[in-house]
Amino acid sequence: MFPVWTNASGQLGISTGTGSQLEVTELASGPQVGKLSISNHGSKPALLVEGELLEGGHQHRVCAADVILGVGERREVETFCIEQGRWGGSSSHSRTARRAPLSVRAELHTPAKGNRQGRIWERISRHQGVSGSSPTGSLVELLNASRNRTIPQQFRLPLPLEGQRGVILGLEGEALMIEVFGTHSLFLRHYGQLADAVAMDLQLFATVPEAATPAQEVRQLAATLGDLRIAPFGDNVFTVRDHETLKSESFSAQNGCQTVTGIRVAIRNRTPQFAHLSVWNMKHPRMASI
């Protein structure tokens, strides 16, 4: 794991993780696997990140892409099922801002073709008998079981550093992915959950030989961000409260063998800044199999 810093201002005026007051429910018109209703009851715009687990309801789901909701906003958000064998229950979901392991999140960053939902279920099934077991194929239950297992000290992510805003993770000698937040506080809201998710992956990769990731590999993947060109904001503007406006816009791009996804935000008249972004190395040999 390599720490990441950025030179952005460090102030976005948004909340995220367990610090945001987001209510998650099934759709009022009736449950749908691929969508949930999200409402922001907090006093700030709220960031919901891709790969976040939305637990409960008719089945556990995972958020498919970054979303920023304005104060008082309610929106239908794209999701995928992470519990193949259950359909039924309450209409409400709980949030502890837990993240899916990289072995599942990788599917959210591969080209959207074919049966993506089926591939997500297949990725989850690889953890059966490794992290634990779940009769309904529940990623939530498998993550719970994973957290009860002891992780060797050398495989635990270190404590975050002062001002750190992201990480670059390497596997088998190659940089796999970058995750960066717009501020240090946003990063801290998700770092513990990321560490738990990575610990689940490490159990899956327990038989993979250790190999150090060279710094040059990391720099090459990080250079992708320097070449990123995102078009100006469109017309996605809505009022947060009197005399305040919020602009938010999701983006995705591909630079050679890297995919870049994320979301940026501007509140009032501030310059637009990235709130969250992920870069995945599509040529990594484990992208198709992790």
Side-chain angles (χ1 to χ4, degrees):
M1 192 279 283
F2 297 79
V4 175
W5 288 265
T6 75
N7 61 357
S9 69
Q11 293 184 345
L12 290 177
I14 64 176
S15 63
T16 194
T18 55
S20 59
Q21 299 178 39
L22 293 176
E23 179 187 18
V24 185
T25 65
E26 302 289 351
L27 302 187
S29 59
Q32 294 184 29
V33 172
K35 290 184 178 180
L36 288 172
S37 177
I38 315 289
S39 301
N40 180 12
H41 300 302
S43 59
K44 295 181 179 180
L47 167 67
L48 182 68
V49 294
E50 56 84 8
E52 182 173 329
L53 305 186
L54 306 170
E55 307 172 29
H58 272 56
Q59 59 187 189
H60 302 311
R61 317 291 220 289
V62 63
C63 183
D66 294 332
V67 179
I68 292 178
L69 294 96
V71 176
E73 183 186 6
R74 179 180 179 181
R75 191 188 309 182
E76 293 182 2
V77 171
E78 182 183 359
T79 61
F80 288 100
C81 167
I82 52 170
E83 186 180 15
Q84 185 177 8
R86 179 173 71 93
W87 183 250
S90 68
S91 63
S92 62
H93 292 251
S94 63
R95 287 185 61 251
T96 55
R98 297 203 292 178
R99 306 291 296 282
L102 302 183
S103 49
V104 175
R105 284 181 60 197
E107 188 59 48
L108 303 178
H109 298 271
T110 57
K113 60 182 179 179
N115 184 9
R116 173 174 274 184
Q117 177 63 80
R119 294 196 299 270
I120 288 176
W121 285 335
E122 196 278 329
R123 287 175 179 270
I124 293 171
S125 71
R126 298 171 192 170
H127 290 274
Q128 290 275 24
V130 177
S131 303
S133 62
S134 168
T136 60
S138 165
L139 179 60
V140 170
E141 290 184 359
L142 293 172
L143 181 57
N144 290 341
S146 170
R147 295 180 68 184
N148 292 330
R149 300 184 63 171
T150 301
I151 304 299
Q153 182 64 41
Q154 67 268 29
F155 292 142
R156 296 177 185 173
L157 294 189
L159 294 176
L161 303 174
E162 183 66 30
Q164 183 180 348
R165 297 185 187 179
V167 293
I168 302 179
L169 296 172
L171 179 67
E172 295 184 80
E174 292 190 39
L176 174 63
M177 62 89 70
I178 306 174
E179 181 161 28
V180 181
F181 290 86
T183 72
H184 179 57
S185 60
L186 293 178
F187 170 71
L188 291 181
R189 287 287 188 182
H190 291 280
Y191 186 70
Q193 293 88 334
L194 174 65
D196 286 343
V198 170
M200 186 175 180
D201 284 314
L202 290 174
Q203 295 171 28
L204 187 64
F205 307 144
T207 60
V208 174
E210 292 185 39
T213 302
Q216 182 60 33
E217 281 277 338
V218 173
R219 285 193 290 270
Q220 289 176 355
L221 186 58
T224 300
L225 298 181
D227 297 332
L228 188 62
R229 296 292 181 267
I230 301 297
F233 267 126
D235 297 325
N236 185 17
V237 181
F238 54 91
T239 300
V240 181
R241 59 170 68 91
D242 291 345
H243 310 299
E244 293 187 2
T245 58
L246 165 71
K247 299 179 182 179
S248 69
E249 194 165 70
S250 299
F251 61 87
S252 62
Q254 187 161 358
N255 288 351
C257 295
Q258 289 79 41
T259 62
V260 184
T261 62
I263 196 165
R264 56 184 180 169
V265 64
I267 298 178
R268 304 184 189 94
N269 295 319
R270 295 178 184 174
T271 302
Q273 295 184 49
F274 296 120
H276 177 244
L277 60 86
S278 300
V279 182
W280 288 73
N281 176 11
M282 300 304 296
K283 68 179 179 63
H284 194 286
R286 286 278 171 174
M287 273 301 291
S289 61
I290 62 173

